[in-house]
Amino acid sequence: MTSNPYPLGLRLHGRRVVVVGGGAVATRRVPALLDAGADVLLVAPELTPALRARVDAGRLHWVQRRFVPEDLDGAWLVHVAVDDPIAAASVSAVAAERRIFCVRADDRTAATAWTPAVTRHGPVTVAVLGGGDPRRAMTVRDAIRDLLAVRLAPDATASTPSPSDASTGTTGGRQAGRVALVGAGPGDPELITVKGWRLLTEADVVVADRLVPGLLLDELRPDVELVDASKIPYGPSRAQEEINQILVDRALAGAFVVRLKGGDPYVFGRGGEELLACAAAGVPVTVVPGVTSSIAAPAAAGIPVTHRGVAHEFTVVSGHLAPDSPASLVRWHALAGLHGTLVILMGLKNLAAITATLIAHGRSPQTPAAVVQEATTGTQRVLRSTLGAIAADLVAADLRPPAVVVVGDVVDALNG
Ligand code: SAH
């Protein structure tokens, strides 16, 4: 009959932790130790490539040999991650003699400490011990993780930003609001990042774009104020000022505002302008990158933007302005001279003029080309053609925005 374990949160920052073994178990254990700031010493004759890379990066110390008792000098904790029970037992014995807690991958009954299944939600850490059944621990952990993603009150997290939110670190209490510019991904609601999703669940106010996946908004708490940025009247530049003002006003009133934008906030998303407006008003901003349609839309159509031996570059360009527009900042004649992949966003309206310009300046009309409409959604459509024919084919097929145009040999790379 064993007693219940006594849970603790170990504060390992700067403290020596010894990991004995350099295989798969050590590879899984070491990242969390490094994340906790531990001073990790690895003792193993050989390492997996992943551990080797961390050693090469100077993140931890490695002694390349078998364990000797002196390895535990100065240690606060030891992880035994070797298969050989005799070798493991000898490490345990030295640890016990020195009163150092010892985790055993090979034999939990011989261990003096157990590692829980863990989930983190910003500053909150939940650790689950399954009474000897790791799968039970993981099932409970997964259930709690899902619950936290939806339920955790914003008050609980707003005052203690995660270490990576460096720009929000100085605001302190709940009174000071803040803004997060979050990339929502290209369309499939599952293509938001884990961090973006967490911040969304913590928001008091969400300001969303037209291209943001609707299902993400479906899951917001009922008390969240949702501002639909696409419904703001006035022209595009006045509307942008209006949005900037909403972000600043709500944040200054103490709210946590998530500005949710299609794809990545900085790819033709005017995220930079919003960041500057907040900065000018003294509102702290976190930027969470998103999966951009410029890469995801081709991928969803089976087109890799680069492919070995086919394309060593990809260029993302806005087709919003016609090539002969005096306001255009794009040097289309230079792009015509490239061999690699060209990805055109917002380009359907001007596609005939764009393709004619590319061909006039030297790109072959036979170059494979494709249009991907509403990529990663249930209504995705793909049209494959050539640079010379795609503008006409597009009209015939009645494709519409939002769509990405891809030009280059990569269009056929996986399709040949
Ligand atoms: N910030 C966004 C792009 C905004 S510009 C991003 O990183 O994806 C808007 C353009 O993006 C649209 O005109 C279209 O060209 C492209 N786009 C966005 N979502 C798309 C989707 N699901 N499928 C195809 N194109 C998309």
Side-chain angles (χ1 to χ4, degrees):
M1 181 65 195
T2 52
S3 312
N4 281 327
Y6 179 75
L8 277 179
L10 298 185
R11 302 177 64 215
L12 294 178
H13 194 90
R15 304 207 158 100
R16 171 56 57 91
V17 175
V18 177
V19 178
V20 182
V25 175
T27 305
R28 282 174 45 201
R29 296 283 184 237
V30 161
L33 293 169
L34 293 177
D35 186 59
D39 167 26
V40 177
L41 174 69
L42 259 179
V43 183
E46 283 170 67
L47 296 185
T48 63
L51 286 172
R52 191 56 186 261
R54 289 179 193 273
V55 170
D56 291 345
R59 301 283 315 277
L60 45 83
H61 312 284
W62 175 33
V63 288
Q64 186 174 10
R65 53 162 170 69
R66 295 183 165 281
F67 173 80
V68 298
E70 291 70 37
D71 291 330
L72 295 192
D73 288 352
W76 292 68
L77 179 69
V78 56
H79 273 266
V80 185
V82 293
D83 296 329
D84 172 8
I86 297 172
S90 73
V91 182
S92 280
V94 178
E97 196 179 296
R98 300 190 178 199
R99 304 292 187 266
I100 301 168
F101 278 107
C102 180
V103 180
R104 290 267 301 256
D106 62 312
D107 179 2
R108 61 184 312 282
T109 59
T112 51
W114 292 332
T115 47
V118 172
T119 178
R120 295 177 208 275
H121 192 92
V124 176
T125 300
V126 178
V128 179
L129 292 166
D133 180 350
R135 251 187 268 161
R136 174 162 57 195
M138 284 193 275
T139 306
V140 173
R141 184 269 318 269
D142 291 347
I144 294 173
R145 180 177 54 199
D146 293 349
L147 201 70
L148 284 180
V150 184
R151 296 279 165 78
L152 198 70
D155 292 23
T157 56
S159 58
T160 37
S162 75
S164 55
D165 297 346
S167 58
T168 65
T170 53
T171 59
R174 177 90 186 101
Q175 286 318 304
R178 60 191 178 114
V179 169
L181 297 180
V182 174
D188 177 345
E190 292 201 295
L191 287 176
I192 190 171
T193 63
V194 172
K195 183 167 187 170
W197 172 246
R198 172 171 71 80
L199 295 182
L200 193 60
T201 64
E202 294 170 7
D204 304 312
V205 180
V206 174
V207 183
D209 268 350
R210 187 172 45 89
L211 284 180
V212 159
L215 281 179
L216 286 177
L217 305 176
D218 235 34
E219 299 185 38
L220 294 178
R221 293 191 324 272
D223 59 306
V224 171
E225 182 194 358
L226 180 62
V227 180
D228 183 345
S230 64
K231 296 252 167 68
I232 292 176
Y234 325 114
S237 66
R238 178 74 199 285
Q240 184 63 51
E241 277 173 36
E242 205 62 27
I243 293 167
N244 295 351
Q245 201 57 50
I246 291 172
L247 301 180
V248 168
D249 288 350
R250 298 293 197 283
L252 290 180
F256 174 39
V257 185
V258 166
R259 172 68 171 118
L260 193 61
K261 307 176 78 75
D264 179 274
Y266 283 165
V267 178
F268 307 130
R270 308 192 68 165
E273 292 164 61
E274 293 169 6
L275 179 114
L276 290 173
C278 291
V283 170
V285 182
T286 304
V287 179
V288 182
V291 175
T292 174
S293 66
S294 55
I295 298 171
I303 301 168
V305 290
T306 71
H307 192 65
R308 196 165 74 93
V310 176
H312 290 178
E313 89 233 4
F314 62 97
T315 307
V316 179
V317 53
S318 166
H320 179 58
L321 295 173
D324 61 358
S325 161
S328 175
L329 299 175
V330 180
R331 296 176 63 199
W332 290 100
H333 60 280
L335 295 181
L338 300 177
H339 292 291
T341 308
L342 196 58
V343 181
I344 306 164
L345 270 58
M346 299 179 281
L348 292 201
K349 184 168 50 88
N350 293 318
L351 196 59
I354 288 170
T355 53
T357 305
L358 291 172
I359 291 166
H361 289 92
R363 191 108 197 209
S364 163
Q366 301 311 318
T367 310
V371 176
V372 191
Q373 172 186 317
E374 290 171 74
T376 76
T377 72
T379 47
Q380 171 175 313
R381 291 178 68 195
V382 182
L383 170 71
R384 286 166 188 276
S385 180
T386 60
L387 186 61
I390 197 152
D393 289 352
L394 173 86
V395 176
D398 192 29
L399 289 191
R400 290 157 192 229
V404 159
V405 182
V406 195
V407 177
D409 292 332
V410 290
V411 167
D412 290 340
L414 305 183
N415 218 35

